Amino acid sequence: AAESPALIINNCVDVNLVGVSIHDNQARGGAIEIRESSWVTLRAATIWNYKRIAIDDRTDSEHYGYAFHCIDGHGIVANSVEHLQ
């Protein structure tokens, strides 16, 4: 499994991506991560097989106290982004 995203867009303006194809990227965050950017357009993208088996560890929480296996993963993650389509 991948340890990092296949594509990172960070601190960019006016990005236009067409026909991006990402396969078998099970990064902890997302296959594509867009951060602190504006006017980002993504068209005709294909993201396959981005989910992974993970352990959600809540043993340090006073409210839960347990851990479990789960399905985790994101195709696209966007943080602090304006005008994304």
Side-chain angles (χ1 to χ4, degrees), residues 6-79:
L7 176 62
I8 298 173
I9 299 168
N10 189 27
N11 199 21
C12 296
V13 177
D14 197 22
V15 177
N16 188 17
L17 298 170
V18 179
V20 173
S21 183
I22 299 171
H23 304 266
D24 302 322
N25 181 292
Q26 295 92 20
R28 187 169 198 66
I32 297 175
E33 290 192 12
I34 306 169
R35 307 174 192 149
E36 299 178 15
S37 297
S38 59
W39 297 101
V40 178
T41 302
L42 180 62
R43 291 191 179 149
T46 303
I47 303 171
W48 288 344
N49 194 18
Y50 58 87
K51 295 286 188 181
R52 65 192 186 103
I53 302 297
I55 297 174
D56 190 338
D57 187 352
R58 301 178 183 189
T59 54
D60 288 338
S61 171
E62 65 183 61
H63 300 290
Y64 300 109
Y66 57 87
F68 58 93
H69 285 95
C70 62
I71 298 173
D72 191 16
H74 305 280
I76 301 172
V77 174
N79 291 314

